[in-house]
Amino acid sequence: MKQRGKMRFYGHPVHPIVTHFPMALLPVSLLGDLLGVWTGASFWWSFSFYNLAIGLVMSIPALITGMIDFLAIPQKGIAERTAMSHMTVIITSIAMYTGSFFIRFGVEIPSGWRLMSSVSLSLLGLIFLLIGGWLGGQLVYRHSVGSEPMIDKSESGKS
């Protein structure tokens, strides 16, 4: 049985639309960290900080729309278990990126334990983000959560 998410905009599910921003910005912040470590240039730390900040802010609508869609999933099924895993892993990822943000708070170059902790948390956040994204894909492509069956125009009653 195919399930539609509750949150839609002109017939399209909203959750996948808003997840693209944190799914792009948060990993790019780690790239900035690595370039900052490699080059020592303060530009990359500022770049990383702002990508991290914007990615975390954009994760809020993704979390809200995801929770609304979660409520539309039938209970006690494989889709619900996959959705719970997806939600848990993504929230863990966001918590790790948030920890990285607060440890480094600011655009100046971190050093010592702050450098190691913030980069390590971002790396772990990326790993969890990738797993959570894969689980989200499982919900859509394997369990058809948030999607509708394709309508064949030849069968739609038009002659």
Side-chain angles (χ1 to χ4, degrees):
M1 179 162 116
K2 304 215 183 259
Q3 297 295 318
R4 284 181 58 152
K6 291 183 177 185
M7 192 78 166
R8 299 183 85 71
F9 181 73
Y10 288 105
H12 295 279
V14 176
H15 181 65
I17 296 168
V18 297
T19 60
H20 287 78
F21 293 102
M23 290 291 285
L25 292 167
L26 295 173
V28 167
S29 73
L30 177 61
L31 176 63
D33 287 345
L34 298 175
L35 288 169
V37 168
W38 184 44
T39 65
S42 63
F43 166 79
W44 292 114
W45 295 108
S46 296
F47 172 84
S48 178
F49 177 78
Y50 288 114
N51 272 277
L52 187 55
I54 296 166
L56 288 171
V57 168
M58 292 305 296
S59 70
I60 295 168
L63 291 169
I64 292 169
T65 57
M67 184 59 71
I68 291 168
D69 284 352
F70 175 76
L71 297 174
I73 296 174
Q75 304 240 331
K76 305 294 183 222
I78 187 77
E80 184 206 20
R81 288 191 300 277
T82 304
M84 281 297 282
S85 297
H86 168 69
M87 184 171 51
T88 302
V89 170
I90 291 294
I91 289 172
T92 302
S93 172
I94 297 302
M96 289 182 183
Y97 278 113
T98 302
S100 176
F101 177 79
F102 283 112
I103 287 172
R104 79 173 73 208
F105 193 78
V107 295
E108 60 275 343
I109 302 170
S111 61
W113 73 269
R114 288 179 55 226
L115 173 65
M116 293 302 295
S117 298
S118 65
V119 173
S120 296
L121 283 171
S122 289
L123 180 60
L124 288 171
L126 173 62
I127 292 166
F128 278 88
L129 191 66
L130 292 172
I131 295 167
W134 182 81
L135 288 167
Q138 289 289 93
L139 285 168
V140 173
Y141 298 113
R142 178 171 279 178
H143 305 298
S144 300
V145 172
S147 64
E148 298 178 338
M150 295 294 290
I151 298 172
D152 186 3
K153 291 184 180 187
S154 65
E155 296 175 11
S156 65
K158 294 184 180 179
S159 302

